[in-house]
Amino acid sequence: MANDNDLTEAEMLAAYDPSAWDRPSLSVDVALLRVREGALGTLLVRRAEHPFRGRLALPGGFVGIDEGLDDAAVRVLRDEAGLEDVFLEQLYTFGAPRRDPRTRVVTVAYYALVDPRRFDAITRDDVVPARVEVPWEGEEGGPVRVRDARGRRRLAFDHDEILGMAVKRVRGKLDYTPIGYDLLPPTFTLAQLRRVHETVLGRRLNKDSFRRRVLASGEVEPTGERQRDVGHRPAALYRVRQRPT
Amino acid sequence: MANDNDLTEAEMLAAYDPSAWDRPSLSVDVALLRVREGALGTLLVRRAEHPFRGRLALPGGFVGIDEGLDDAAVRVLRDEAGLEDVFLEQLYTFGAPRRDPRTRVVTVAYYALVDPRRFDAITRDDVVPARVEVPWEGEEGGPVRVRDARGRRRLAFDHDEILGMAVKRVRGKLDYTPIGYDLLPPTFTLAQLRRVHETVLGRRLNKDSFRRRVLASGEVEPTGERQRDVGHRPAALYRVRQRPT
DNA sequence: AAAATAGTGTCTGTAAGACAATATAAC
DNA sequence: GTTATATTGTCTTACAGACACTATTTT
C-alpha cells in the first residue's frame, strides 16, 4: 500500500477497506448466577447445532456489526433465556485461538445476577437450570462443575471457565459493593441476605457482625413488614434503600 | 441456509464459511502506568496515520487471526513501546459502535505496571511519556487527563477512558494484591512503597499502620542492605519474598 | 551539634467474633 | 407452654490511627 499520509482523514476513511484483513469473529456469552436453597445455580441452553451439538452452553450469540457489546448481552439474555432487567456486567474477554473449533471466535463474557423467583418463572424447553459446584476456595479461581437434573455435565467451549470467572468476580465484589441484593427478591430478611452471601462465598459468616455491618452500611431500610407463617418469630423485612440501577 | 443438523461435526466445520457475516475488527490497547516523583505517568505513541493522525494514543494494534489476546498485548508492548517482562493483565473490552471512525473496532484493553527506571530507559522518538491526572476520588471512575512536555493533550479514540479504567482497577487491587511491587525497582524502602500506594490511591496513608501491615503481610523481606547517601538516617531495603509470576 | 527521616513503643477507638439473654410468632 | 429463630447487649480481641520517643546518617 502506498503511503497514505498525503490523504485527508475523509479521503482515508472512504478508501478504508475493512475486509482487507482476516479478523476473528466476536460473540458475547452470559453467565447467569442465582442462589437458591443454599446453592449456586445457572441457566444453560442446549446447543441445537455443531459444534458441541446437544451439549449445554451459556446463552450467547454473535455481536452485530453496529451493535454495542452491552446491547448484545442484553439481547442474548432476552432472546435465549427470556430474562430482562437484571444485573448485567462485563466480565472478561476469552480469546484463546482454538477455543471454538469452527474458526477463531473471541467472546466477551458477561455475568448476570437474578432473583431466583424470576429464574423459576422461565419455562422454555431449551433452557436448562443447573447447579454450579465450585471446586476451589476463596478467590483462587478456575472452572466450575455443573450438574443438571440428569447429573454432571461438561459444558460446550470454555464455558465452565467463564462460569468460574463469574463466581470469582462475584465473590470479590460481594464484600464492598451492593451486588448481593440483585440475587434476592425486592424484600428480604437479613438472614436471607446472609445466606446468599454465605452461598456465594462458600463459607459461613458470623451472624452478629454481618447483621451489624449491613445495618450500619445504610444500604437497607426496614419495610415495616414482617415475615408470615414461618413457624417461629418472624424476621423484619428490609429493602434496598436506593437501587443504583 | 438449509438445516445442517444432518451433517457430522467434521462436515459442518469444513462447510463453515467465516466470511459469511460482517464482523467487527478486534484490537488490543495497553494502558501503561508508572509512578515517579509522586505522580502517575503513562507512555503514549504518536499516531502517524489517520484517524487521529498526530494525536497521542495508547500502544495498540490489531489481533492476528491466530494470535491469543495476551500474546497480542505482549507483542504491542514490545514492538511499540520497547518493553518486555512487565506486569500485564486484561482490563476491559471497549466496543461502542462509533469509537473508531473508520469502521467498527472492538478493543480489548490491557493495563501494565512498570518500574519507572525501565520506563526512563526507553528512547524512541515516537514514544511520549505523559503525566496522568485523575479528576475523581477513590474508585469513582471516569476518564483521566493527560499532560506531556508540551501541556494538556486530548488522546485519540476513547483512550482517556481506558486509562481511567486502568487507574480505577489498580486502585481497587492495590489493597489486597501484591500489585504495588510491580511499580517499584526490585529493591525498595517501605517509605518508597508507601509513596507508590499514596500516589496510586490519590490520598495520604498512615505511616505507622502501613508499615505494620506490610511487614505483617509477609510479602516482603529485608535484603540486609540500607540506603546510601540520603542525608538522613538510611532506611532498610526490602525485596518481594516470592514474586508469584 | 543540627537536620531529617527511620524505626519502636504505647494508648485509644472502632469493628469483628463469641456468647448470653430476651422477644415473639406458630403450634 | 414448647419450639425455633429474631433481636439486643456485653465482653474480648485484632487492628488502624495518633503520638511520643529513640536511632542513625549526612552536613
Side-chain angles (χ1 to χ4, degrees):
Chain A
M1 190 194 278
N3 187 334
D4 67 1
N5 285 356
D6 299 327
L7 302 178
T8 66
E9 177 152 354
E11 286 168 342
M12 183 271 171
L13 287 176
Y16 183 83
D17 174 11
S19 67
W21 297 282
D22 252 7
R23 64 191 61 168
S25 298
L26 190 69
S27 62
V28 294
D29 288 301
V30 181
L32 255 142
L33 289 176
R34 70 101 165 80
V35 172
R36 196 185 167 195
E37 290 161 11
L40 273 173
T42 190
L43 213 57
L44 302 167
V45 294
R46 189 171 308 283
R47 287 185 61 80
E49 296 174 16
H50 292 300
F52 297 105
R53 184 166 126 192
R55 290 268 274 277
L56 297 176
L58 300 181
F62 289 99
V63 176
I65 190 66
D66 281 318
E67 184 183 39
L69 300 175
D70 293 0
D71 297 334
V74 167
R75 169 177 58 80
V76 156
L77 208 47
R78 171 170 33 81
D79 293 353
E80 294 208 38
L83 277 170
E84 271 181 297
D85 293 321
V86 298
F87 176 93
L88 183 66
E89 193 173 85
Q90 195 190 111
L91 176 62
Y92 194 81
T93 297
F94 294 77
R98 308 224 55 86
R99 58 177 292 282
D100 188 317
R102 281 173 294 191
T103 178
R104 181 79 190 283
V105 180
V106 171
T107 196
V108 182
Y110 280 74
Y111 70 106
L113 304 179
V114 197
D115 166 4
R117 294 187 193 174
R118 304 185 50 190
F119 205 90
D120 289 337
I122 301 167
T123 53
R124 296 167 61 145
D125 50 352
D126 55 341
V127 173
V128 180
R131 183 163 290 216
V132 173
E133 296 170 357
V134 182
W136 34 267
E137 300 282 314
E139 293 177 50
E140 198 178 316
V144 298
R145 286 195 283 266
V146 163
R147 190 178 294 276
D148 72 0
R150 296 187 198 166
R152 171 84 173 282
R153 294 309 193 127
R154 285 167 53 216
L155 299 187
F157 307 105
D158 49 6
H159 288 186
D160 49 355
E161 300 269 359
I162 296 178
L163 265 172
M165 181 92 68
V167 173
K168 181 181 170 183
R169 173 75 59 93
V170 177
R171 281 190 178 179
K173 293 194 80 163
L174 198 60
D175 279 338
Y176 65 100
T177 62
I179 212 177
Y181 306 113
D182 291 294
L183 292 162
L184 285 166
T187 201
F188 51 85
T189 70
L190 294 181
Q192 287 169 345
L193 179 62
R194 179 167 49 83
R195 207 112 52 206
V196 161
H197 279 238
E198 289 177 340
T199 304
V200 169
L201 295 175
R203 62 187 173 86
R204 308 299 302 229
L205 296 175
N206 184 279
K207 180 182 157 186
D208 306 311
S209 64
F210 183 82
R211 177 188 198 78
R212 263 186 310 220
R213 188 157 50 88
V214 171
L215 290 178
S217 76
E219 288 170 355
V220 300
E221 60 189 4
T223 64
E225 306 276 310
R226 320 190 119 246
Q227 287 182 304
R228 293 159 170 275
D229 308 315
V230 284
H232 55 77
R233 175 173 171 179
L237 290 170
Y238 291 82
R239 73 170 81 88
V240 178
R241 195 182 285 275
Q242 352 126 283
R243 193 166 284 255
T245 309
Chain B
M1 189 195 278
N3 187 333
D4 67 1
N5 284 357
D6 299 328
L7 303 178
T8 67
E9 178 152 354
E11 286 168 342
M12 183 272 174
L13 288 175
Y16 182 82
D17 175 10
S19 68
W21 298 283
D22 250 8
R23 64 189 64 166
S25 297
L26 190 69
S27 63
V28 294
D29 288 300
V30 181
L32 255 141
L33 290 176
R34 70 100 165 79
V35 173
R36 196 185 168 197
E37 290 162 9
L40 274 173
T42 189
L43 212 57
L44 302 168
V45 295
R46 188 172 308 284
R47 287 185 60 81
E49 296 174 15
H50 291 302
F52 297 106
R53 184 166 128 191
R55 289 268 273 277
L56 296 176
L58 300 181
F62 289 98
V63 176
I65 190 67
D66 281 319
E67 184 182 40
L69 299 176
D70 293 0
D71 297 333
V74 167
R75 168 176 61 78
V76 156
L77 208 46
R78 172 168 33 80
D79 293 353
E80 294 206 41
L83 277 170
E84 273 181 296
D85 292 321
V86 299
F87 175 93
L88 183 66
E89 193 173 85
Q90 196 189 110
L91 175 62
Y92 194 81
T93 298
F94 293 78
R98 308 224 54 86
R99 57 177 294 282
D100 186 318
R102 282 174 292 189
T103 179
R104 181 80 190 282
V105 180
V106 171
T107 197
V108 183
Y110 281 73
Y111 70 107
L113 305 179
V114 197
D115 166 4
R117 295 188 191 174
R118 303 185 52 190
F119 205 91
D120 289 337
I122 301 166
T123 53
R124 295 168 60 146
D125 50 351
D126 55 339
V127 174
V128 180
R131 183 163 291 215
V132 174
E133 295 170 357
V134 182
W136 34 266
E137 300 281 313
E139 293 178 47
E140 199 178 315
V144 297
R145 285 195 284 266
V146 163
R147 190 178 294 275
D148 72 0
R150 296 187 199 166
R152 169 85 173 284
R153 295 308 195 127
R154 284 168 51 217
L155 298 187
F157 307 105
D158 48 5
H159 288 187
D160 50 355
E161 300 269 359
I162 297 178
L163 265 172
M165 181 92 69
V167 173
K168 181 181 170 183
R169 173 76 61 91
V170 177
R171 281 190 179 179
K173 294 193 78 163
L174 198 60
D175 279 338
Y176 65 101
T177 62
I179 213 177
Y181 306 114
D182 291 294
L183 292 162
L184 285 166
T187 200
F188 51 86
T189 70
L190 294 181
Q192 287 169 345
L193 179 61
R194 179 166 48 84
R195 208 111 53 203
V196 162
H197 279 238
E198 288 176 341
T199 303
V200 169
L201 296 175
R203 62 187 174 87
R204 308 301 303 242
L205 296 175
N206 183 279
K207 180 183 156 184
D208 307 312
S209 65
F210 182 83
R211 176 187 198 79
R212 264 185 311 219
R213 187 156 52 87
V214 171
L215 290 178
S217 75
E219 288 170 356
V220 301
E221 60 189 3
T223 63
E225 307 275 310
R226 318 189 121 246
Q227 286 182 305
R228 291 160 171 275
D229 308 316
V230 283
H232 54 76
R233 173 174 173 178
L237 290 170
Y238 292 81
R239 73 170 81 88
V240 177
R241 195 182 286 275
Q242 352 125 283
R243 194 165 285 254
T245 309

